[in-house]
């Protein structure tokens, strides 16, 4: 039986690529030392039928294509330098819709202070956007350079986008987060000088915790520190969804997950939510509201894996 | 009637993007001044059903994805710095085919001395590869900085890939060029110090000449300097194809088209084919073998345009 990519999943494919390339640093972005600093580069491809909710506007598609890439710069504490836009469009797309996508891209570039510097246009059967973001930093903020005893924090509440994808209405904080999330670029620039590590939450908190986990280190997250509102719980319940599943295993909030020493937390000049701590347990766990401790499953959004 | 992207064509879409972005230099790549040099960046998306001949191997797909991007670095006279690979795969693609694509990418990166430094993996209904190439140069070689009286030259014969796409056999110089063209990265690095302008030939010589044409300048190309072999003419004839059309209006050879002063040509340490000169005629013309002069049509490969 011939193995297919869906048999082994995205993470294994990435492992093959990394195993055969000696120049890839497996962090949120590529890091290229240059002069007395580092060029930070990252790319992300968004495919209409897979990455965009059905009710998203063309403008928000364009905006999000920038956001997902700038979020990786934020995770490295990088200063934005430039954005490249490779876009493929179906030939029966209207000019107005095309212009809305571009306007979304340009608005996002203005919002993040990242100039649109180049790109490529193509034809395809659906909208496909690959963005490349370039940045600079003298001190890249890696994803696994935390220490035992560090606190774990996030730059804002998570799970909102996950709930938003399930709602029909567009006019609420969850849907707005799902359709138009924002990268935490300014927070990243501050965290560079305070945090011990950082990554951005794209595939869910659980997924990111397992991404950054090193041998002999563990994470303890506390449900009652996640700032889960009664409204969130009740909306999830009404939809027959597990609110913890939405918070841990979906993602798309683009908040930064970072670790920080207690001392530095006191001096940190940005808002954040402390949600747990780095331990030596070698496992990833959640202390529920009722006091019980459970293992967090390594489950997040992964391409190819058969349902 | 609502206008569609196929009504206006790729060049118009690009014009909209450029008109609304003050940071785009419309040359082969983006140019970002940094330190005492320039970061060169470019991206190109290849879509399986549109950019790859049906008989191309998975290995050659991967190799070409690097070539098309490195070719833009070559056109700027840039030193390669790094390559990012965003790739989408159908879920029923075999692991072996996936590995062949990656091996092609890695082989090309080794060939061009450009490290693979990062990327992204996704699922799509067909293979889609967006490559981003980064480079450095203290003196970017622009595409339209030629002078009247400059000679026009190319780094090698053109039209071979175009003929190759039409042939069934794989074992000939034309098919090899169609399936596995090479970017002229070393030539670009040399030309940086000798040429007055350069671009790479992707959509056909005619298309590139019109791309680089400025007001009050013209180009005269000479058919008998294009090095068109009898074999090329007879193979084209056998296929009922116009050999000049193959040479001028298809592309995919990835040779560099450049301009150079007569003095510098004498000192140029690489092989090239001088094919014409820069004039003040304000038109783009070809002197045929029989002495007649005709206008070269502005026709090359363009996405979206309805047949």
């Amino acid at each position: 039986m011939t193995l297919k990519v869906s048999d082994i999943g995205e993470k294994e494919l990435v492992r093959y690529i990394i195993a055969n390339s000696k120049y890839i640093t497996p962090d949120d972005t590529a890091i290229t030392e240059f002069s007395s600093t580092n060029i930070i580069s990252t790319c992300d491809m968004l495919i209409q039928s897979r990455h965009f909710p059905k009710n998203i506007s063309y403008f928000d598609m364009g905006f999000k294509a920038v956001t997902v890439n700038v979020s990786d710069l934020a995770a490295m504490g990088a200063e934005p330098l430039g954005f490249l836009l490779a876009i493929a469009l179906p030939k029966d797309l209207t000019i107005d819709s095309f212009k809305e996508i571009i306007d979304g891209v340009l608005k996002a570039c203005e919002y993040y202070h990242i100039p649109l510097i180049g790109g490529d246009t193509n034809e395809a059967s659906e909208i496909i956007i690959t963005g490349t973001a370039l940045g600079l930093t003298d001190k890249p903020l890696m994803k696994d350079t935390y220490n035992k005893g560090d606190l774990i924090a996030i730059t804002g509440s998570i799970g909102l986008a996950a709930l938003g994808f399930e709602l029909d209405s567009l006019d609420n904080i969850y849907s707005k987060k799902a359709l138009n999330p924002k990268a935490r670029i300014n927070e990243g620039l501050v965290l560079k000088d305070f945090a011990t590590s950082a990554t951005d939450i794209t595939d869910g908190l659980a997924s990111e915790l397992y991404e950054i986990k090193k041998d002999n280190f563990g994470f303890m997250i506390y449900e009652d520190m996640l700032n889960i509102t009664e409204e969130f719980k009740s909306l999830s319940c009404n939809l027959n969804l597990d609110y913890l599943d939405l918070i841990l295993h979906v993602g798309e909030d683009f908040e930064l997950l970072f670790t920080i020493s207690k001392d530095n937390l006191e001096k940190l000049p940005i808002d954040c939510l402390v949600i747990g701590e780095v331990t030596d347990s070698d496992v990833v766990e959640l202390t529920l509201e009722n006091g019980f401790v459970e293992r967090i499953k390594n489950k997040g959004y992964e391409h190819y894996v058969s349902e």
Side-chain angles (χ1 to χ4, degrees), chain A:
Chain A
M1 189 189 78
T2 324
L3 276 181
K4 308 253 194 311
V5 295
S6 56
D7 295 320
I8 70 167
E10 187 185 357
K11 288 189 170 30
E12 278 306 308
L13 301 178
V14 170
R15 224 161 269 156
Y16 179 84
I17 299 172
I18 292 178
N20 286 282
S21 333
K22 41 188 179 175
Y23 304 104
I24 294 184
T25 321
D27 211 288
D28 290 290
T29 69
I31 303 167
T32 306
E33 285 181 25
F34 179 69
S35 195
S36 53
T37 186
N38 298 274
I39 297 169
I40 301 298
S41 58
T42 182
C43 63
D44 259 312
M45 187 188 293
L46 298 183
I47 297 163
Q48 187 174 11
S49 54
R50 287 165 174 76
H51 291 98
F52 296 127
K54 284 193 166 50
N55 53 3
I56 195 169
S57 68
Y58 288 109
F59 182 93
D60 282 345
M61 272 188 217
F63 200 108
K64 188 171 180 183
V66 184
T67 292
V68 306
N69 285 287
V70 169
S71 187
D72 284 314
L73 296 187
M76 303 302 283
E79 189 83 49
L81 189 62
F83 186 79
L84 299 168
L85 174 74
I87 180 165
L89 309 163
K91 67 176 170 190
D92 60 353
L93 186 74
T94 67
I95 302 296
D96 286 341
S97 301
F98 160 74
K99 287 181 175 179
E100 281 181 48
I101 298 171
I102 299 305
D103 290 348
V105 169
L106 292 168
K107 194 76 190 172
C109 285
E110 186 187 318
Y111 181 86
Y112 296 120
H113 302 294
I114 188 166
L116 175 64
I117 56 175
D120 180 40
T121 50
N122 270 289
E123 186 189 319
S125 53
E126 56 174 326
I127 296 166
I128 300 163
I129 309 179
T130 309
T132 300
L134 305 178
L136 291 171
T137 176
D138 57 352
K139 204 172 59 176
L141 186 49
M142 309 301 283
K143 67 182 183 184
D144 62 357
T145 37
Y146 43 81
N147 308 303
K148 287 185 180 99
D150 276 354
L151 297 171
I152 301 171
I154 49 181
T155 49
S157 295
I158 50 177
L160 279 64
L163 180 55
F165 292 131
E166 306 292 335
L167 298 172
D168 290 322
S169 124
L170 298 179
D171 192 23
N172 60 77
I173 57 166
Y174 312 102
S175 299
K176 286 190 161 83
K177 192 82 176 181
L179 299 173
N180 189 228
K182 300 291 199 300
R184 298 297 187 190
I185 193 76
N186 295 331
E187 288 82 346
L189 286 166
V190 172
L191 286 172
K192 176 167 86 76
D193 297 316
F194 290 89
T196 44
S197 78
T199 190
D200 63 331
I201 303 175
T202 50
D203 297 333
L205 177 61
S207 180
E208 310 309 343
L209 289 170
Y210 278 96
E211 266 293 308
I212 68 174
K213 187 187 171 316
K214 297 181 287 192
D215 289 341
N216 304 318
F217 284 80
F219 306 119
M220 176 59 80
I221 307 297
Y222 298 91
E223 182 185 352
D224 57 13
M225 295 172 89
L226 286 168
N227 193 29
I228 308 170
T229 63
E230 284 313 309
E231 180 182 76
F232 190 92
K233 288 181 183 176
S234 98
L235 283 169
S236 310
C237 181
N238 291 348
L239 292 165
N240 273 331
L241 297 167
D242 176 344
Y243 70 85
L244 273 178
D245 195 63
L246 291 176
I247 284 167
L248 296 174
H249 300 300
V250 178
E252 298 277 314
D253 292 291
F254 298 97
E255 297 293 345
L256 296 176
L257 168 69
F258 64 97
T259 55
I260 188 165
S261 67
K262 291 184 179 73
D263 286 347
N264 270 0
L265 178 68
E266 285 173 29
K267 307 179 213 157
L268 186 65
I270 57 167
D271 288 335
C272 69
L273 213 58
V274 175
I275 63 171
E277 71 243 352
V278 179
T279 69
D280 57 6
S281 68
D282 212 20
V283 287
V284 182
E285 295 175 302
L286 176 72
T287 300
L288 299 167
E289 272 180 338
N290 60 18
F292 283 111
V293 175
E294 65 175 32
R295 192 70 57 88
I296 296 179
K297 285 203 189 73
N298 184 3
K299 193 175 71 125
Y301 186 72
E302 196 176 328
H303 293 283
Y304 312 123
V305 175
S306 315
E307 297 295 324

CSV table of all heavy atoms in Angstrom, one decimal, chain A residues 196-230:
chain,number,residue,atom,x,y,z
A,196,THR,N,11.3,35.5,28.1
A,196,THR,CA,12.3,34.5,27.8
A,196,THR,C,12.1,33.7,26.6
A,196,THR,O,13.0,33.1,26.0
A,196,THR,CB,12.5,33.5,29.0
A,196,THR,OG1,11.2,33.1,29.4
A,196,THR,CG2,13.2,34.2,30.2
A,197,SER,N,10.8,33.6,26.2
A,197,SER,CA,10.4,32.9,24.9
A,197,SER,C,9.1,33.4,24.4
A,197,SER,O,8.3,34.0,25.2
A,197,SER,CB,10.4,31.4,25.1
A,197,SER,OG,9.2,31.1,25.7
A,198,ALA,N,8.8,33.2,23.2
A,198,ALA,CA,7.5,33.6,22.6
A,198,ALA,C,7.2,32.8,21.4
A,198,ALA,O,8.1,32.4,20.6
A,198,ALA,CB,7.4,35.1,22.4
A,199,THR,N,5.9,32.6,21.1
A,199,THR,CA,5.4,32.1,19.9
A,199,THR,C,4.0,32.7,19.7
A,199,THR,O,3.4,33.2,20.6
A,199,THR,CB,5.4,30.6,19.8
A,199,THR,OG1,5.1,30.1,18.5
A,199,THR,CG2,4.3,30.0,20.8
A,200,ASP,N,3.4,32.6,18.5
A,200,ASP,CA,2.1,33.1,18.3
A,200,ASP,C,1.1,31.9,18.2
A,200,ASP,O,1.4,30.8,17.8
A,200,ASP,CB,1.9,33.9,17.0
A,200,ASP,CG,2.2,33.2,15.7
A,200,ASP,OD1,3.0,32.3,15.7
A,200,ASP,OD2,1.7,33.6,14.7
A,201,ILE,N,-0.1,32.1,18.7
A,201,ILE,CA,-1.1,31.0,18.8
A,201,ILE,C,-2.0,31.0,17.6
A,201,ILE,O,-2.9,31.8,17.4
A,201,ILE,CB,-2.0,31.2,20.1
A,201,ILE,CG1,-1.1,31.3,21.3
A,201,ILE,CG2,-3.0,30.1,20.2
A,201,ILE,CD1,-1.9,31.6,22.6
A,202,THR,N,-1.6,30.0,16.7
A,202,THR,CA,-2.4,29.9,15.4
A,202,THR,C,-3.2,28.7,15.4
A,202,THR,O,-4.4,28.7,14.9
A,202,THR,CB,-1.4,29.9,14.2
A,202,THR,OG1,-0.4,28.9,14.5
A,202,THR,CG2,-0.7,31.2,14.0
A,203,ASP,N,-2.7,27.5,15.9
A,203,ASP,CA,-3.4,26.3,15.8
A,203,ASP,C,-4.0,25.9,17.2
A,203,ASP,O,-4.4,24.7,17.3
A,203,ASP,CB,-2.5,25.2,15.3
A,203,ASP,CG,-2.1,25.4,13.9
A,203,ASP,OD1,-2.8,26.1,13.1
A,203,ASP,OD2,-1.0,25.0,13.5
A,204,GLY,N,-4.0,26.8,18.1
A,204,GLY,CA,-4.6,26.4,19.4
A,204,GLY,C,-3.5,26.4,20.5
A,204,GLY,O,-2.4,26.0,20.2
A,205,LEU,N,-3.9,26.8,21.7
A,205,LEU,CA,-2.9,26.8,22.8
A,205,LEU,C,-2.2,25.4,23.0
A,205,LEU,O,-1.0,25.4,23.2
A,205,LEU,CB,-3.6,27.2,24.1
A,205,LEU,CG,-2.8,27.3,25.4
A,205,LEU,CD1,-1.6,28.2,25.3
A,205,LEU,CD2,-3.7,27.6,26.6
A,206,ALA,N,-3.0,24.4,23.0
A,206,ALA,CA,-2.5,23.0,23.2
A,206,ALA,C,-1.4,22.7,22.2
A,206,ALA,O,-0.3,22.3,22.5
A,206,ALA,CB,-3.6,22.0,23.1
A,207,SER,N,-1.7,23.0,20.9
A,207,SER,CA,-0.7,22.7,19.8
A,207,SER,C,0.5,23.5,20.0
A,207,SER,O,1.6,23.0,19.9
A,207,SER,CB,-1.4,23.1,18.5
A,207,SER,OG,-0.5,22.9,17.4
A,208,GLU,N,0.4,24.8,20.4
A,208,GLU,CA,1.6,25.6,20.6
A,208,GLU,C,2.4,25.1,21.8
A,208,GLU,O,3.7,25.1,21.7
A,208,GLU,CB,1.2,27.1,20.8
A,208,GLU,CG,0.3,27.7,19.7
A,208,GLU,CD,0.7,27.4,18.3
A,208,GLU,OE1,1.9,27.1,18.0
A,208,GLU,OE2,-0.2,27.6,17.4
A,209,LEU,N,1.8,24.7,22.9
A,209,LEU,CA,2.5,24.3,24.0
A,209,LEU,C,3.3,23.0,23.7
A,209,LEU,O,4.5,22.9,24.1
A,209,LEU,CB,1.5,23.9,25.2
A,209,LEU,CG,0.9,25.2,25.9
A,209,LEU,CD1,-0.2,24.7,26.8
A,209,LEU,CD2,1.9,26.0,26.6
A,210,TYR,N,2.7,22.1,22.9
A,210,TYR,CA,3.5,20.9,22.5
A,210,TYR,C,4.6,21.3,21.5
A,210,TYR,O,5.7,20.7,21.5
A,210,TYR,CB,2.6,19.9,21.9
A,210,TYR,CG,1.9,19.0,23.0
A,210,TYR,CD1,0.7,19.4,23.5
A,210,TYR,CD2,2.6,18.0,23.7
A,210,TYR,CE1,0.1,18.7,24.5
A,210,TYR,CE2,2.1,17.3,24.7
A,210,TYR,CZ,0.8,17.6,25.1
A,210,TYR,OH,0.2,16.9,26.2
A,211,GLU,N,4.4,22.3,20.7
A,211,GLU,CA,5.4,22.8,19.7
A,211,GLU,C,6.6,23.3,20.5
A,211,GLU,O,7.8,23.1,20.0
A,211,GLU,CB,4.9,24.0,18.9
A,211,GLU,CG,4.3,23.7,17.6
A,211,GLU,CD,5.2,23.2,16.6
A,211,GLU,OE1,6.3,23.8,16.4
A,211,GLU,OE2,5.0,22.1,16.0
A,212,ILE,N,6.4,24.0,21.6
A,212,ILE,CA,7.6,24.6,22.3
A,212,ILE,C,8.1,23.7,23.4
A,212,ILE,O,9.2,24.1,24.0
A,212,ILE,CB,7.2,26.0,22.9
A,212,ILE,CG1,6.2,25.9,24.0
A,212,ILE,CG2,6.6,26.9,21.8
A,212,ILE,CD1,5.9,27.2,24.7
A,213,LYS,N,7.5,22.6,23.7
A,213,LYS,CA,7.9,21.8,24.8
A,213,LYS,C,9.3,21.1,24.6
A,213,LYS,O,9.5,20.5,23.5
A,213,LYS,CB,6.9,20.7,25.1
A,213,LYS,CG,7.2,19.9,26.4
A,213,LYS,CD,6.2,18.8,26.6
A,213,LYS,CE,6.7,17.9,27.7
A,213,LYS,NZ,8.2,17.7,27.7
A,214,LYS,N,10.1,21.2,25.6
A,214,LYS,CA,11.4,20.6,25.5
A,214,LYS,C,11.4,19.4,26.5
A,214,LYS,O,10.6,19.4,27.5
A,214,LYS,CB,12.5,21.5,26.0
A,214,LYS,CG,12.7,22.7,25.1
A,214,LYS,CD,13.8,23.6,25.6
A,214,LYS,CE,13.5,24.4,26.9
A,214,LYS,NZ,14.5,25.5,27.2
A,215,ASP,N,12.3,18.4,26.3
A,215,ASP,CA,12.4,17.3,27.3
A,215,ASP,C,12.7,17.9,28.7
A,215,ASP,O,13.5,18.8,28.8
A,215,ASP,CB,13.6,16.4,26.9
A,215,ASP,CG,13.2,15.6,25.6
A,215,ASP,OD1,12.0,15.5,25.3
A,215,ASP,OD2,14.1,15.1,25.0
A,216,ASN,N,12.1,17.2,29.7
A,216,ASN,CA,12.3,17.5,31.1
A,216,ASN,C,11.6,18.9,31.5
A,216,ASN,O,11.8,19.3,32.7
A,216,ASN,CB,13.8,17.6,31.5
A,216,ASN,CG,14.5,16.3,31.1
A,216,ASN,OD1,13.9,15.2,31.3
A,216,ASN,ND2,15.7,16.4,30.5
A,217,PHE,N,10.9,19.5,30.6
A,217,PHE,CA,10.1,20.6,31.0
A,217,PHE,C,8.7,20.3,30.8
A,217,PHE,O,8.3,19.5,30.0
A,217,PHE,CB,10.5,21.8,30.1
A,217,PHE,CG,11.8,22.5,30.4
A,217,PHE,CD1,13.0,21.9,29.9
A,217,PHE,CD2,11.9,23.7,31.1
A,217,PHE,CE1,14.2,22.5,30.2
A,217,PHE,CE2,13.1,24.3,31.4
A,217,PHE,CZ,14.2,23.7,30.9
A,218,GLY,N,7.8,21.0,31.6
A,218,GLY,CA,6.4,20.8,31.5
A,218,GLY,C,5.7,22.1,31.7
A,218,GLY,O,6.3,23.2,32.0
A,219,PHE,N,4.4,22.1,31.4
A,219,PHE,CA,3.6,23.3,31.6
A,219,PHE,C,2.4,23.0,32.4
A,219,PHE,O,1.7,22.0,32.2
A,219,PHE,CB,3.2,23.9,30.2
A,219,PHE,CG,4.3,24.1,29.2
A,219,PHE,CD1,4.3,23.4,28.0
A,219,PHE,CD2,5.4,25.0,29.5
A,219,PHE,CE1,5.4,23.6,27.1
A,219,PHE,CE2,6.4,25.1,28.6
A,219,PHE,CZ,6.4,24.4,27.4
A,220,MET,N,2.1,23.9,33.4
A,220,MET,CA,0.8,23.8,34.1
A,220,MET,C,0.0,25.0,33.8
A,220,MET,O,0.4,26.2,34.1
A,220,MET,CB,1.1,23.7,35.6
A,220,MET,CG,-0.2,23.7,36.4
A,220,MET,SD,-1.3,22.3,35.9
A,220,MET,CE,-0.6,20.9,36.9
A,221,ILE,N,-1.1,24.8,33.2
A,221,ILE,CA,-2.0,25.9,32.9
A,221,ILE,C,-3.2,25.9,33.8
A,221,ILE,O,-3.6,24.8,34.3
A,221,ILE,CB,-2.6,25.8,31.4
A,221,ILE,CG1,-1.4,25.6,30.4
A,221,ILE,CG2,-3.5,27.0,31.0
A,221,ILE,CD1,-0.5,26.8,30.3
A,222,TYR,N,-3.8,27.0,34.2
A,222,TYR,CA,-4.9,27.1,35.2
A,222,TYR,C,-6.1,27.6,34.5
A,222,TYR,O,-6.1,28.7,34.0
A,222,TYR,CB,-4.5,28.0,36.4
A,222,TYR,CG,-3.3,27.4,37.1
A,222,TYR,CD1,-2.0,27.8,36.8
A,222,TYR,CD2,-3.5,26.5,38.1
A,222,TYR,CE1,-0.9,27.3,37.5
A,222,TYR,CE2,-2.4,26.0,38.8
A,222,TYR,CZ,-1.1,26.4,38.5
A,222,TYR,OH,0.0,25.8,39.1
A,223,GLU,N,-7.1,26.8,34.5
A,223,GLU,CA,-8.4,27.2,33.8
A,223,GLU,C,-8.9,28.5,34.4
A,223,GLU,O,-9.4,29.4,33.6
A,223,GLU,CB,-9.5,26.1,34.0
A,223,GLU,CG,-10.8,26.5,33.3
A,223,GLU,CD,-11.9,25.5,33.5
A,223,GLU,OE1,-11.7,24.5,34.1
A,223,GLU,OE2,-13.0,25.9,33.1
A,224,ASP,N,-8.8,28.7,35.7
A,224,ASP,CA,-9.4,29.9,36.3
A,224,ASP,C,-8.6,31.2,36.0
A,224,ASP,O,-8.9,32.3,36.4
A,224,ASP,CB,-9.7,29.8,37.8
A,224,ASP,CG,-8.5,29.4,38.6
A,224,ASP,OD1,-7.4,29.5,38.0
A,224,ASP,OD2,-8.6,29.1,39.8
A,225,MET,N,-7.4,31.0,35.3
A,225,MET,CA,-6.6,32.2,34.9
A,225,MET,C,-6.8,32.5,33.4
A,225,MET,O,-6.3,33.5,32.9
A,225,MET,CB,-5.1,31.9,35.2
A,225,MET,CG,-4.9,31.8,36.7
A,225,MET,SD,-3.1,31.2,37.0
A,225,MET,CE,-2.3,32.8,37.1
A,226,LEU,N,-7.6,31.7,32.7
A,226,LEU,CA,-7.8,31.9,31.3
A,226,LEU,C,-8.8,33.0,30.9
A,226,LEU,O,-9.1,33.2,29.8
A,226,LEU,CB,-8.2,30.6,30.6
A,226,LEU,CG,-7.1,29.5,30.5
A,226,LEU,CD1,-7.6,28.2,30.1
A,226,LEU,CD2,-6.0,30.0,29.4
A,227,ASN,N,-9.4,33.5,32.0
A,227,ASN,CA,-10.4,34.6,31.8
A,227,ASN,C,-11.6,34.2,30.9
A,227,ASN,O,-12.0,34.9,29.9
A,227,ASN,CB,-9.7,35.8,31.1
A,227,ASN,CG,-10.5,37.1,31.2
A,227,ASN,OD1,-11.4,37.2,32.1
A,227,ASN,ND2,-10.4,37.9,30.2
A,228,ILE,N,-12.1,33.0,31.2
A,228,ILE,CA,-13.2,32.5,30.3
A,228,ILE,C,-14.5,33.1,30.9
A,228,ILE,O,-14.9,32.8,32.1
A,228,ILE,CB,-13.3,30.9,30.4
A,228,ILE,CG1,-11.9,30.3,30.1
A,228,ILE,CG2,-14.4,30.4,29.5
A,228,ILE,CD1,-11.8,28.8,30.4
A,229,THR,N,-15.2,33.8,30.1
A,229,THR,CA,-16.4,34.5,30.6
A,229,THR,C,-17.6,33.6,30.6
A,229,THR,O,-17.7,32.5,29.9
A,229,THR,CB,-16.8,35.7,29.7
A,229,THR,OG1,-17.1,35.2,28.4
A,229,THR,CG2,-15.6,36.7,29.6
A,230,GLU,N,-18.6,33.9,31.4
A,230,GLU,CA,-19.9,33.2,31.5
A,230,GLU,C,-20.5,33.1,30.1
A,230,GLU,O,-21.1,32.1,29.7
A,230,GLU,CB,-20.8,33.7,32.5
A,230,GLU,CG,-20.4,33.4,33.9
A,230,GLU,CD,-20.1,31.9,34.2
A,230,GLU,OE1,-20.9,31.1,33.8
A,230,GLU,OE2,-19.0,31.6,34.7
